[in-house]
Amino acid sequence: MSDIISKLFSISGKTAMVTGGANGIGLMIARGLVEAGVKTYIVGRNVTKGENAAAELAKLGQCTFIPGDLSSLAGIEAVVAELSAKESKLDILVNNAGLLTLQTLEEVDEAGWDGPVNINMKAPFFLIQKLLPLLRASGTYDDPARVINIGSAGGIENAPIEYYSYIASKAGLHHLTRGLAKYLAPDNINVVSIAPGVFPSDIGYEPPIEVHNAIIASIPRQRLGTEDDIVGAVIYLASRAGAFITASMLPVDGGKIYG
Ligand SMILES: NC(=O)c1ccc[n+]([C@@H]2O[C@H](COP(=O)([O-])OP(=O)(O)OC[C@H]3O[C@@H](n4cnc5c(N)ncnc54)[C@H](OP(=O)(O)O)[C@@H]3O)[C@@H](O)[C@H]2O)c1
């Protein structure tokens, strides 16, 4: 690696936690961090899936699974207690775990509302709150701790589907990012968000081929997002190159996908 690339983009030796890191976009991010030399903790409810993912990633570097349900405060506190027992500081927190319910306006019930709101918006807030001691222990004037919230293009634009609790919680997460960034800047903690466009994962639905083609056609870059796209964005925001970026939202979507 050339000196300038190493100076700007190396994150080797840091410690990270990626929620929902056992599959989908979270697994892509976790693999990228592990390959970049970051000691990485992944969190999720499914123990078998989480332990298998961590075992695979541990072949590439350091990765540990912490089981937990982040939709409740008790679940968040249990995860924070387990991380705090292992680490005295946290350099990178990626709030990635998320949930989407496709319900029409008439169909939305309390569970369909609370599910996405709890994991997409409440969990990132309370995780940041409870992890403040570890984040403050990491952040310095030159190298702040980084919180990277995974929002969504759906939180900033209107998609041609009805998923109200999702878009409200993701819009809330993007604005929460701005509010927390301002408050936490003096503590040397940067808070940013990424707004992914369409990535292949479990959260979406398997659309018929004509719908799939319509999705691709609506994306200016004419393709779905890939692991390199999301990992590149995370490494940028987590490295020296991204140290002066806080309160910002980075779309990773191949263009303004919903017009
Ligand atoms: N895929 C896309 O096109 C797309 C587009 C825009 C934004 N995003 C955002 O990107 C993030 C990842 O999405 P994805 O597509 O990779 O989703 P995914 O494949 O469904 O993965 C979601 C992850 O979140 C974890 N999770 C869900 N509820 C949880 C809970 N209560 N406690 C702990 N972990 C929980 C799941 O693990 P367990 O089931 O084991 O708990 C899983 O690992 C989400 O925030 C999503 O909104 C995705």
Side-chain angles (χ1 to χ4, degrees):
M1 203 188 297
S2 75
D3 286 352
I4 185 69
I5 296 297
S6 168
K7 181 180 138 203
L8 291 182
F9 294 106
S10 174
I11 51 174
S12 182
K14 289 179 180 274
T15 300
M17 186 166 86
V18 182
T19 67
N23 60 284
I25 291 177
L27 178 58
M28 298 178 197
I29 293 170
R31 185 161 38 230
L33 291 174
V34 169
E35 287 188 311
V38 175
K39 188 203 274 192
T40 303
Y41 292 86
I42 60 174
V43 182
R45 293 162 302 179
N46 186 318
V47 175
T48 307
K49 185 176 69 175
E51 285 181 344
N52 287 342
E56 275 305 305
L57 295 188
K59 294 175 187 165
L60 307 169
Q62 296 183 77
C63 188
T64 305
F65 173 64
I66 298 180
D69 184 344
L70 300 169
S71 63
S72 73
L73 192 54
I76 289 167
E77 286 173 335
V79 167
V80 170
E82 188 161 344
L83 183 71
S84 303
K86 294 182 164 70
E87 301 294 336
S88 57
K89 67 180 181 66
L90 181 66
D91 304 310
I92 305 162
L93 167 64
V94 184
N95 279 309
N96 163 83
L99 179 66
L100 181 159
T101 51
L102 279 174
Q103 290 178 316
T104 66
L105 179 55
E106 288 76 14
E107 284 169 353
V108 176
D109 52 12
E110 197 171 3
W113 182 265
D114 287 348
V117 169
N118 283 347
I119 189 65
N120 297 347
M121 190 169 64
K122 185 174 95 173
F125 176 80
F126 282 108
L127 257 182
I128 293 166
Q129 184 198 59
K130 301 300 173 199
L131 285 168
L132 279 176
L134 291 192
L135 292 166
R136 285 186 173 126
S138 156
T140 65
Y141 185 75
D142 290 328
D143 187 15
R146 315 296 162 89
V147 176
I148 302 174
N149 293 322
I150 305 299
S152 175
I156 49 177
E157 302 170 31
N158 269 333
I161 48 176
E162 290 183 285
Y163 54 162
Y164 299 103
S165 54
Y166 184 80
I167 60 174
S169 56
K170 290 297 186 177
L173 181 60
H174 287 301
H175 196 50
L176 188 60
T177 299
R178 291 185 277 270
L180 288 171
K182 184 173 169 60
Y183 180 74
L184 291 172
D187 286 15
N188 298 316
I189 300 171
N190 286 1
V191 189
V192 294
S193 66
I194 291 176
V198 185
F199 282 69
S201 75
D202 301 343
I203 200 170
Y205 59 117
E206 280 294 323
I209 186 68
E210 61 276 13
V211 177
H212 175 80
N213 290 341
I215 291 171
I216 301 282
S218 73
I219 300 170
R221 289 299 305 153
Q222 301 277 295
R223 66 169 174 82
L224 302 184
T226 66
E227 183 157 334
D228 286 348
D229 297 320
I230 197 73
V231 170
V234 168
I235 288 177
Y236 166 56
L237 292 169
S239 63
R240 173 62 190 88
F244 200 44
I245 297 170
T246 192
S248 298
M249 189 259 306
L250 176 62
V252 181
D253 61 3
K256 197 167 165 41
I257 61 175
Y258 299 129

